[in-house]
Amino acid sequence: MLALQNVTKHYKTRRGTVRAVEGVSFEVRPKSTLALVGESGCGKTTIAKMILQLERPTAGAIAFEGANTATMNAAALKQYRRQVMAVFQDPYASLNPRLRVGTIIAEPLLAHENPGRAAVEKRVADVLDIVGLPATAARLYPHEFSGGQRQRIAIARALALRPRLMVLDEPVSALDVSIRAQVLNLLADIQQEFGLTYLIIAHDLALVEHFSDDVAVIYLGRVAEAGPTAEVFAQPRHPYTQALLAAVPQPDPDHVLNEAAAAGEIASALDPPSGCRFHPRCPLAIERCRSETPEPRGTPHQAACHLVEA
Amino acid sequence: MVLQVENLHTHLHLKRGILRAVDGVSLSVGEGETLGLVGESGSGKTLTGLSLLRLLPKGSGRIVEGSIRLDGQELTTLPEAAMAQTIRGRRIAMIMQDPMTSLNPVFSIGDQVSNPLRNHNIAQGAALRSKVVEVLTQVRIPSAEKRLGDYPHQFSGGQRQRIVAAMAIGCTPRLLVADEPTTALDVTIQVQIIALLRQIQADTGTGIILITHDLGVAASLCHRIAVMYAGRIVETGPVRRIYKSPSHPYTQALLAAIPRLGEKRSRLQAIPGQPPSLIDPPTGCRFAPRCPARMEKCAEQPPIVQLADGHEAACWKLA
Ligand SMILES: Nc1ncnc2c1ncn2[C@@H]1O[C@H](COP(=O)(O)OP(=O)(O)OP(=O)(O)O)[C@@H](O)[C@H]1O
Ligand SMILES: Nc1ncnc2c1ncn2[C@@H]1O[C@H](COP(=O)(O)OP(=O)(O)O)[C@@H](O)[C@H]1O
Ligand code: SF4
Ligand code: SF4
Ligand SMILES: [Mg+2]
Ligand SMILES: [Mg+2]
């Protein structure tokens, strides 16, 4: 459905080149969910922005159903943009406070096809119904809704054009624990009903295990490990994935946290470590890790680590 | 007991009306004990913590009823000058939710960590400087001595949180209130802060109130848990009881709603509806509009039921 080939993004800044994303490849299968996980600043949002055409890759290709988005003509690009929609982390910031909910939801619809007033109203009511809000919600403003309801509105807006791929950047992390499950269940239902494909960015690993079919673990702009979620979580191969999983505090007082897991902090993308970017924090690092960048090995469960056999 | 809070009511007087943010909270913290105050956003956790320090929003916030005793000394009636000189930052310290609200961007961290030590006459001159280096080293700021002149923006998010912790523990407080100290941080940094709080407690015997909505963080750090919902504590108990045999329908629903590692479920068990407004809360049990076990009696305020040693819950179902 969606394939990234060696995608790289460098930002030129006054302090030097920020290597935000470096040679990232993965594929999202139709009607499935791929999760991107990794620490803050590792490049997840940058990857999402490139897929949404909000940023242009420095190198590499993004293909949608086999067609390279970089060489699409204007008509194909317009088609691509309406098939790929996004829901962002903060439902407070992503909805224009001065517009009524109906206008917010209709915006992409008017921009892309303008089907006439009655049809627009009907579609707005339809998507509101899908996300579990009454049709009367269209006449109200965002501030009249709770955080969970606002995220439903953002989802309704993304659904209005009947997209095929949705990019969900931390869709529930701004929401309360008791509301998260409502929104996640809603997203799962919509995916089933409309055959949607999801790319989700999340830092809650338990949520990722629950919600995704495939996962890519990113460390400092590179894919450390990727594969079917069940396999990666049951048998993590990359020392970084192992450290991440060991560090998750669990709602169980008998669980012992591994406090030594991944000591230290993620390096700066301005000056990433040589060789394997994880080597300064890796408990298993060997001499070779300092100089040689490990290639991803294994399929479909792959890990980029010198200690991992194919 | 280090801290004993009884029937605390804290109101915010807003234009929209009176917001009953803390509505009859009782809790206690022993020497070397960590109490987890868990609940969703807006349930009154932070305002409970701020009430202990009498640091409520100026103008609108007021403790209207109840008692707060630190080592037996009543704080609600203490004059403000005594509060500032002997309690705030000295015997009760707070790590705020966002480290940047506690750190001033225009002062070096050496200055900022010295402040409470100087104000409370803990150390002066050369001794002050070495004390600052000592606490910064204790919270594992690498080469602390060389970094005293650096400013907050020169540190990572995890380091800033640790610097705020250093400011809080310098005067070896009797009680440390840590408000969501790990929420904005990555899991790998989160464990480091959890380990740090544990170490501080082992070294100084301070009592800790950990405010969090993360049930994983609370389980890994707390001895006892108090579950807060809409301004009230609905269940309190030893950590094992709360997680292994939660009794209040809200605690049960909360624990059932979170995904867990190693457990693939096709659907999460969602809690319907949303928390009530604290300006106009439902009479009786505040969880009633969302409670699957609701009955007629729930329109009246539920009694607090003792379930086992130190384990109690406010619910008609258990009465
Ligand atoms: N416009 C920009 N200019 C310069 N650097 C940038 C820009 N956008 C992102 N970066 C840098 O690129 C790296 C990746 O950032 P990105 O926002 O993709 O991280 P992320 O994984 O989404 O993190 P988080 O979990 O905190 O949202 C970071 O080092 C960030 O500081
Ligand atoms: N300065 C303030 N002005 C107005 N309302 C406030 C203020 N601080 C907190 N509140 C309100 O008081 C209630 C409890 O807030 P708080 O103690 O911060 O909750 P928590 O820490 O559990 O998220 C919420 O309804 C919140 O919106
Ligand atoms: S390549 Fe080396 S440093 Fe990198 S994860 Fe593997 S063992 Fe660790
Ligand atoms: S008192 Fe009633 S409504 Fe409240 S939690 Fe108990 S059963 Fe539910
Ligand atoms: Mg991001
Ligand atoms: Mg708070």
Side-chain angles (χ1 to χ4, degrees):
Chain A
M1 179 98 186
L2 180 82
L4 273 71
Q5 239 337 295
N6 260 316
V7 170
T8 294
K9 179 72 194 179
H10 292 175
Y11 291 104
K12 297 254 181 288
T13 68
R14 264 179 296 147
R15 289 160 62 215
T17 303
V18 177
R19 298 170 185 277
V21 177
E22 194 90 73
V24 162
S25 304
F26 60 77
E27 253 177 69
V28 194
R29 297 178 289 122
K31 301 183 186 182
S32 76
T33 300
L34 179 124
L36 292 181
V37 305
E39 284 165 278
S40 167
C42 74
K44 307 179 297 288
T45 300
T46 306
I47 293 171
K49 282 184 181 160
M50 290 189 283
I51 292 168
L52 293 166
Q53 305 253 311
L54 301 171
E55 293 279 3
R56 196 176 275 279
T58 310
I62 298 174
F64 186 69
E65 300 192 310
N68 186 341
T69 54
T71 56
M72 281 180 181
N73 61 27
L77 212 52
K78 189 163 183 197
Q79 194 59 19
Y80 173 72
R81 287 216 178 97
R82 58 168 298 174
Q83 295 192 341
V84 181
M85 286 287 152
V87 175
F88 291 104
Q89 169 165 0
D90 188 351
Y92 297 87
S94 63
L95 304 176
N96 186 337
R98 279 186 292 272
L99 298 182
R100 288 179 204 273
V101 165
T103 314
I104 291 174
I105 295 174
E107 229 177 18
L109 211 54
L110 296 172
H112 277 93
E113 49 189 49
N114 207 351
R117 206 177 136 190
V120 169
E121 266 173 30
K122 168 139 191 352
R123 187 83 68 85
V124 168
D126 285 350
V127 289
L128 280 172
D129 183 53
I130 292 168
V131 301
L133 292 172
T136 50
R139 289 198 297 273
L140 304 176
Y141 290 91
H143 75 260
E144 297 175 78
F145 294 89
S146 70
Q149 289 172 327
R150 276 183 244 205
Q151 204 56 309
R152 286 171 190 271
I153 293 167
I155 294 167
R157 174 188 153 95
L159 280 176
L161 280 169
R162 303 205 178 99
R164 312 217 1 246
L165 174 73
M166 293 238 271
V167 175
L168 312 167
D169 191 350
E170 299 277 7
V172 298
S173 52
L175 304 179
D176 263 315
V177 193
S178 82
I179 307 297
R180 282 182 195 173
Q182 291 177 10
V183 173
L184 287 170
N185 284 343
L186 170 68
L187 286 168
D189 292 345
I190 293 172
Q191 179 171 42
Q192 272 278 317
E193 190 170 343
F194 301 101
L196 290 176
T197 305
Y198 286 160
L199 177 81
I200 186 172
I201 295 175
H203 67 268
D204 179 341
L205 292 171
L207 184 157
V208 165
E209 183 176 24
H210 163 79
F211 196 73
S212 68
D213 304 297
D214 297 290
V215 63
V217 182
I218 316 285
Y219 189 78
L220 262 181
R222 286 186 193 276
V223 177
E225 179 160 6
T229 305
E231 273 184 53
V232 172
F233 275 70
Q235 274 162 329
R237 290 188 186 155
H238 195 285
Y240 176 59
T241 315
Q242 292 166 357
L244 268 187
L245 286 169
V248 179
Q250 303 205 19
D252 174 0
D254 292 333
H255 174 77
V256 181
L257 262 190
N258 183 349
E259 288 173 4
E265 291 177 34
I266 195 165
S268 157
L270 263 172
D271 185 21
S274 60
C276 173
R277 289 180 166 195
F278 187 55
H279 86 253
R281 298 171 76 184
C282 182
L284 305 175
I286 49 175
E287 199 42 49
R288 194 177 161 199
C289 306
R290 283 175 213 281
S291 50
E292 212 181 303
T293 303
E295 290 302 321
R297 262 168 291 202
T299 176
H301 181 178
Q302 62 163 64
C305 168
H306 293 308
L307 300 184
V308 172
E309 305 295 321
Chain B
M1 276 302 152
V2 172
L3 180 80
Q4 196 118 37
V5 175
E6 269 161 49
N7 194 29
L8 180 69
H9 291 256
T10 300
H11 290 179
L12 297 180
H13 295 259
L14 307 175
K15 277 199 216 97
R16 295 178 281 140
I18 296 176
L19 192 145
R20 296 175 164 76
V22 182
D23 204 42
V25 161
S26 300
L27 51 83
S28 64
V29 183
E31 181 107 27
E33 182 181 59
T34 302
L35 172 77
L37 192 55
V38 307
E40 45 204 297
S41 138
S43 58
K45 307 181 297 295
T46 297
L47 284 168
T48 301
L50 292 172
S51 300
L52 305 179
L53 287 140
R54 301 216 332 235
L55 269 183
L56 295 167
K58 283 211 172 59
S60 66
R62 210 165 309 149
I63 295 176
V64 294
E65 196 183 331
S67 144
I68 301 170
R69 284 194 310 271
L70 182 73
D71 292 317
Q73 182 185 10
E74 180 61 49
L75 301 185
T76 52
T77 51
L78 201 65
E80 169 56 28
M83 195 69 202
Q85 279 157 24
T86 65
I87 306 290
R88 205 177 290 137
R90 174 69 189 84
R91 288 168 64 210
I92 305 181
M94 185 154 174
I95 299 178
M96 301 284 178
Q97 192 153 354
D98 171 10
M100 284 320 267
T101 59
S102 311
L103 290 172
N104 190 326
V106 305
F107 290 105
S108 72
I109 63 139
D111 272 349
Q112 300 191 56
V113 178
S114 321
N115 273 337
L117 296 164
R118 194 183 305 114
N119 295 344
H120 295 295
N121 294 315
I122 305 284
Q124 263 97 29
L128 177 61
R129 188 187 158 87
S130 62
K131 177 77 190 173
V132 170
V133 173
E134 183 195 316
V135 287
L136 284 171
T137 309
Q138 199 181 351
V139 300
R140 304 204 195 101
I141 298 296
S143 9
E145 182 127 39
K146 288 198 209 107
R147 304 212 58 184
L148 295 181
D150 286 354
Y151 293 85
H153 74 266
Q154 290 167 288
F155 294 85
S156 71
Q159 286 174 329
R160 285 198 284 254
Q161 195 57 281
R162 279 179 278 167
I163 292 166
V164 172
M167 289 165 62
I169 62 169
C171 303
T172 40
R174 293 283 293 147
L175 180 75
L176 183 62
V177 182
D179 191 1
E180 307 270 8
T182 65
T183 299
L185 306 172
D186 284 314
V187 284
T188 54
I189 309 300
Q190 230 175 50
V191 284
Q192 297 172 17
I193 302 289
I194 290 173
L196 173 68
L197 288 173
R198 233 188 243 135
Q199 177 214 324
I200 291 170
Q201 188 164 62
D203 293 351
T204 66
T206 177
I208 297 180
I209 295 183
L210 175 76
I211 296 178
T212 181
H213 67 262
D214 187 322
L215 294 165
V217 172
S220 59
L221 202 56
C222 300
H223 304 106
R224 281 190 309 120
I225 302 284
V227 182
M228 201 159 175
Y229 186 79
R232 290 185 185 154
I233 288 176
V234 296
E235 181 165 5
T236 309
V239 65
R240 302 185 55 81
R241 297 263 331 175
I242 297 290
Y243 285 84
K244 307 278 178 185
S245 39
S247 299
H248 194 282
Y250 174 63
T251 316
Q252 291 170 344
L254 210 51
L255 283 165
I258 48 175
R260 291 162 190 254
L261 271 187
E263 201 184 271
K264 176 100 186 169
R265 282 183 288 171
S266 58
R267 280 185 83 72
L268 293 170
Q269 220 173 305
I271 308 177
Q274 58 196 65
S277 143
L278 291 177
I279 292 189
D280 187 18
T283 54
C285 174
R286 294 192 171 169
F287 187 56
R290 306 172 78 185
C291 181
R294 178 185 55 236
M295 42 196 161
E296 230 165 84
K297 263 198 294 205
C298 304
E300 287 163 47
Q301 182 151 336
I304 294 172
V305 183
Q306 301 292 327
L307 300 158
D309 202 20
H311 186 189
E312 56 185 44
C315 172
W316 282 112
K317 195 186 74 170
L318 306 166

